[in-house]
Amino acid sequence: MERASIVDTLPVYIFDETNRLKYEARVQGHDIIDFGMGNPDIPTPAPVVEKLRQAVLDPRNHRYSVSRGIPGVRRELAYWYKRKYDVDLDPDKEVLLTLGAKEGFNHLILAITEPGEHVLVTTPCYPIHRFAVQLARAVPVLLPADPEKLLPAAEAALSSVEPRPRTLIISYPNNPTTACVDLEFFSKAVAFARNHNLLLIHDFAYADLVYDNYKAPSVLQVPGAKETALEFYSLTKGYSMAGWRVGFCSGHAPVLNKLRRLKSYYDYGMFQPIQIAAAVALRDCDDEVQTISGTYQDRRDCLIRNFEQAGWPITPPRGTLFVWAPVPDQLRGRMTSFDFTRFLLAEAEVAVAPGIGFGEAGEGWVRLALVENEHRIKQAARNIRRALSKC
Ligand SMILES: Cc1ncc(COP(=O)(O)O)c(C=O)c1O
């Protein structure tokens, strides 16, 4: 039966196309070195896996859990914020467990957005930031992800767009651009949000993946931020727990309560053993997170060094799981990001994500996820050198 729906308004996912090309190349026997998706390849820390194993054997943990998260895991998240950022959170009112940041983010936007409303979103961006707005039947207003340009552009949008936006979505360290900010930027963003009566939503998915002694600030560190801001945090990247689907939303209690209410209609909570193991991760695994981040830093250094020698210079990121790289000079203007992605797959057996997949502002760039080991990164550099030398 043909039936029109909101889903039909979503564009063809560009990564479906690149995944198809990758799959075809593999079927033909090519060993593709895959920097395409930010899907961590490092195992989850052993104490977390062991706690899950123990918890799963207890039948009391097999029943429905609670949608907002058991008190123990919300309490550990509050301790985590206190220890890392000196931020005080009430685990009952100011912390909510979500089924990964992605689910929480989508439902938050649904819970707080009216159909036809304008929502300020940066671009290029993690595609969900934009499409969650569209799925809520609202209209994204795109602003530059560059932190230098963001607030002036937001100011201009507020005075020119009707109905006036009520929400600003940001994320630093940024996927895909890898842009990082300091606490002063967040102070300005919070002041801006308060002055304009905006809800500020910060996606802090890459909080733990930071390099060269850079420490990414939390927006909740800004005094008074909880009156206007919410922050998502996730165990996916820092704790290498992508498949576990553990995220949190923290901050402004009245809006968080709307998300809590909406979620109570959608889910019965995460499988309880996972919540128990997530609490152990937050409590006991700071060293493991350091090791994971160190592995990505070594891969970053390896990639930057070897790709430069291959004729593709790239600025090293200070954070995230990614490298954001311009289409090399000799091909710029001749190839779009999608053409270049196809070229790398065909000529170098290397998969990347084309910048256009993150919005028009990503054109001319590609994103490489640091999810291959150093041996494979060096192999990729050799292949790329050979491919570029033919251009
Ligand atoms: C900015 C951003 N937020 C959220 C996510 C997804 O996080 P989770 O696995 O917790 O849903 C990603 C994953 O790539 C991301 O890049």
Side-chain angles (χ1 to χ4, degrees):
M1 193 201 315
E2 270 303 310
R3 178 187 291 257
S5 85
I6 187 74
V7 175
D8 302 321
T9 70
L10 296 171
V12 176
Y13 207 39
I14 197 114
F15 302 124
D16 284 349
E17 182 59 11
T18 50
N19 284 340
R20 189 183 62 77
L21 294 172
K22 206 158 53 183
Y23 174 76
E24 279 174 8
R26 284 195 169 123
V27 166
Q28 286 164 19
H30 297 281
D31 175 22
I32 302 300
I33 303 170
D34 193 354
F35 302 110
M37 187 181 176
N39 191 359
D41 62 314
I42 300 172
T44 298
V48 186
V49 177
E50 177 53 25
K51 191 68 196 180
L52 176 73
R53 199 186 64 77
Q54 289 167 12
V56 91
L57 293 172
D58 184 344
R60 283 175 304 177
N61 290 329
H62 297 175
R63 309 186 71 189
Y64 288 132
S65 187
V66 270
S67 168
R68 67 200 302 217
I70 55 174
V73 75
R74 283 184 280 112
R75 222 168 22 236
E76 285 304 336
L77 196 271
Y79 290 145
W80 183 91
Y81 263 100
K82 184 69 184 164
R83 192 168 77 241
K84 301 248 172 191
Y85 304 102
D86 198 20
V87 167
D88 291 301
L89 288 172
D90 176 343
D92 281 334
K93 297 197 180 77
E94 294 174 336
V95 177
L96 197 67
L97 182 74
T98 62
L99 307 174
K102 184 177 180 181
E103 177 276 326
F105 182 83
N106 266 295
H107 280 143
L108 174 66
I109 298 300
L110 189 63
I112 61 166
T113 310
E114 300 275 315
E117 177 173 345
H118 286 118
V119 177
L120 302 174
V121 187
T122 62
T123 182
C125 67
Y126 175 53
I128 302 309
H129 289 170
R130 180 173 173 175
F131 295 121
V133 172
Q134 202 165 315
L135 282 169
R137 296 179 156 77
V139 183
V141 175
L142 303 177
L143 307 173
D146 180 345
E148 303 258 309
K149 298 185 185 148
L150 173 63
L151 295 180
E155 182 97 55
L158 285 174
S159 53
S160 62
V161 177
E162 275 296 328
R164 198 176 161 286
R166 300 184 300 167
T167 306
L168 169 59
I169 299 163
I170 60 174
S171 180
Y172 300 102
N174 185 264
N175 173 17
T177 69
T178 73
C180 293
V181 296
D182 54 20
L183 191 54
E184 196 190 334
F185 171 83
F186 279 148
S187 298
K188 287 185 191 155
V190 167
F192 181 84
R194 290 174 78 151
N195 289 342
H196 293 90
N197 209 13
L198 291 170
L199 175 71
L200 181 63
I201 303 175
H202 179 232
D203 184 344
F204 202 23
Y206 296 95
D208 307 305
L209 301 188
V210 285
Y211 314 121
D212 306 328
N213 299 320
Y214 167 66
K215 185 169 190 305
S218 154
V219 77
L220 299 178
Q221 282 174 271
V222 178
K226 282 193 290 186
E227 286 154 39
T228 196
L230 284 172
E231 184 164 84
F232 281 95
Y233 175 63
S234 164
L235 301 197
T236 287
K237 313 288 169 165
Y239 293 81
S240 227
M241 290 174 64
W244 299 59
R245 316 304 304 125
V246 184
F248 297 89
C249 187
S250 309
H252 188 60
V255 172
L256 202 60
N257 195 41
K258 287 190 195 287
L259 176 58
R260 183 192 62 75
R261 285 194 60 207
L262 182 75
K263 276 178 61 59
S264 72
Y265 281 80
Y266 274 99
D267 69 73
Y268 282 116
M270 183 184 295
F271 186 41
Q272 200 151 285
I274 297 181
Q275 299 188 50
I276 293 167
V280 166
L282 289 164
R283 194 184 64 211
D284 292 341
C285 292
D286 286 2
D287 290 348
E288 285 84 347
V289 171
Q290 280 262 311
T291 306
I292 289 169
S293 174
T295 301
Y296 290 129
Q297 177 166 324
D298 291 345
R299 290 178 180 178
R300 175 201 69 162
D301 293 344
C302 175
L303 188 148
I304 299 291
R305 197 172 50 246
N306 285 277
F307 279 38
E308 171 137 36
Q309 285 164 8
W312 190 6
I314 303 167
T315 306
R318 281 196 298 161
T320 77
L321 184 59
F322 307 111
V323 166
W324 183 236
V327 173
D329 281 349
Q330 57 268 50
L331 297 174
R332 196 161 319 138
R334 282 205 279 146
M335 283 191 191
T336 64
S337 61
F338 192 61
D339 294 336
F340 182 56
T341 299
R342 263 197 307 238
F343 167 84
L344 285 179
L345 202 56
E347 303 295 331
E349 300 189 322
V350 165
V352 300
I356 187 71
F358 305 95
E360 296 73 13
E363 188 48 275
W365 297 78
V366 294
R367 192 196 71 179
L368 295 96
L370 297 165
V371 292
E372 292 275 15
N373 65 33
E374 293 187 38
H375 170 74
R376 304 264 294 166
I377 290 171
K378 287 179 191 160
Q379 181 61 51
R382 283 194 290 275
N383 295 358
I384 288 170
R385 176 201 282 274
R386 200 174 350 96
L388 288 180
S389 71
K390 291 190 221 151
C391 297

